[in-house]
């Protein structure tokens, strides 16, 4: 347990800071109206069309920070505030999600790999907590490692998925920022481009700490499985 706390507490603290920083930046840039007056929906549609993509729909999704690209039905789903918003944050997020659509259209290999893992990861994440609990109990009372082995394999899958997600998200932000910088009329001032870059940087950091947290969990349960930790 001591080793686990040594691993997880710093990551939890960093994660809390990153989440706070991201939400703070998002809130700040949401208040900054885009000089061009484009809405998130308009930014998304323009980036898609500028990229030669006409078979992807831009949709409004309920909730906050629910923005995502769905390769299965080719939709860019923007949260209500981003879809209707005319702020720096709305433009940055909309362009980022369209970055994923560009990845899909150009067969970006990391996105293809991530997408292929989604069904298995969805099943694993639903059952994993109970498998780990049962596995720890069984290895503690009977010494049987079978169930915990399954749990560790599931954690390894989730960790790999989290790591693969990093280049996918970073590349989508890179595509978004290049397009915003080179497309005159969307972000008019250098300050707006700098603010968009700042917002997307902190968004990327949330994926980094998530990957680190997943890796810490994997190390802990793997060490338990192989008898290197006292539980």
């Amino acid at each position: 347990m001591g080793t686990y706390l040594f691993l997880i507490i710093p990551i939890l603290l960093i994660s809390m800071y990153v989440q706070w920083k991201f939400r703070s930046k998002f809130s700040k840039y949401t208040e900054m109206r885009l000089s061009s007056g484009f809405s998130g929906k308009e930014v998304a549609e323009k980036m898609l069309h500028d990229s030669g993509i006409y078979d992807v729909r831009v949709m409004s999704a309920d909730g906050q920070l629910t923005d995502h690209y769905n390769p299965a039905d080719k939709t860019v789903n923007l949260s209500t505030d981003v879809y209707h918003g005319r702020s720096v944050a709305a433009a940055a997020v909309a362009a980022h999600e369209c970055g994923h659509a560009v990845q899909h259209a150009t067969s970006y290999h990391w996105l293809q790999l991530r997408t292929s893992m989604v069904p298995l990861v969805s099943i694993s994440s639903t059952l994993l907590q109970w498998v780990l609990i049962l596995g720890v109990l069984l290895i503690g009372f009977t010494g049987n490692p079978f169930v915990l082995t399954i749990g560790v394999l599931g954690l390894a899958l989730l960790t790999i998925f989290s790591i693969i997600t990093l280049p996918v998200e970073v590349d989508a932000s890179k595509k978004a920022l290049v397009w915003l910088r080179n497309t005159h009329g969307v972000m008019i001032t250098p300050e707006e481009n700098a603010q968009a870059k700042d917002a997307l940087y902190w968004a990327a950091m949330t994926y980094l700490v998530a990957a680190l947290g997943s890796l810490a969990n994997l190390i802990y349960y793997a060490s338990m499985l192989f008898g290197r930790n006292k539980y």
Side-chain angles (χ1 to χ4, degrees):
M1 181 62 70
T3 303
Y4 180 70
L5 293 177
F6 177 78
L7 284 170
I8 205 66
I9 288 179
I11 293 174
L12 283 174
L13 292 175
I14 293 171
S15 178
M16 290 170 61
Y17 173 76
V18 168
Q19 289 288 345
W20 169 79
K21 195 75 173 179
F22 167 64
R23 291 180 181 274
S24 174
K25 293 286 186 179
F26 188 85
S27 177
K28 176 183 176 181
Y29 298 137
T30 296
E31 299 298 320
M32 295 184 175
R33 184 174 175 84
L34 202 61
S35 299
S36 64
F38 274 73
S39 68
K41 174 180 181 289
E42 292 166 343
V43 169
E45 289 176 340
K46 181 169 177 54
M47 182 171 173
L48 290 171
H49 295 168
D50 286 354
S51 303
I53 300 172
Y54 296 94
D55 59 347
V56 172
R57 294 173 296 154
V58 180
M59 311 287 288
S60 178
D62 294 333
Q64 292 184 322
L65 303 178
T66 52
D67 312 273
H68 66 282
Y69 171 68
N70 187 342
D73 60 7
K74 292 190 174 182
T75 56
V76 170
N77 300 273
L78 303 177
S79 58
T80 303
D81 289 344
V82 171
Y83 186 88
H84 296 289
R86 300 180 184 275
S87 65
V88 171
V93 172
H96 170 86
E97 297 308 331
C98 288
H100 291 307
V102 174
Q103 290 174 337
H104 190 194
T106 57
S107 301
Y108 180 61
H109 58 285
W110 288 114
L111 178 66
Q112 290 180 314
L113 179 57
R114 184 184 186 278
T115 301
S116 68
M117 293 178 67
V118 167
L120 188 58
V121 167
S122 297
I123 296 172
S124 297
S125 59
T126 301
L127 302 174
L128 188 58
Q129 180 181 359
W130 299 108
V131 171
L132 288 171
I133 291 172
L134 180 59
V136 170
L137 290 174
L138 285 176
I139 204 170
F141 287 105
T142 70
N144 189 327
F146 179 74
V147 176
L148 187 57
T149 299
I150 295 174
V152 168
L153 290 174
L155 270 177
L157 177 67
L158 293 182
T159 301
I160 292 170
F161 184 79
S162 295
I163 293 172
I164 289 172
T165 295
L166 291 175
V168 174
E169 296 299 327
V170 170
D171 181 74
S173 289
K174 181 179 178 181
K175 284 178 167 55
L177 292 169
V178 169
W179 179 81
L180 289 170
R181 185 173 64 250
N182 295 334
T183 304
H184 303 293
V186 177
M187 287 193 169
I188 297 174
T189 68
E191 290 77 15
E192 289 177 335
N193 281 285
Q195 292 160 358
K197 183 177 181 179
D198 191 32
L200 293 180
Y201 168 80
W202 286 104
M205 289 296 291
T206 64
Y207 290 99
L208 176 60
V209 295
L212 290 174
S214 183
L215 181 60
N217 272 329
L218 175 60
I219 292 171
Y220 173 69
Y221 283 102
S223 65
M224 181 182 293
L225 177 63
F226 295 110
R228 299 192 185 98
N229 200 12
K230 298 293 183 181
Y231 45 86

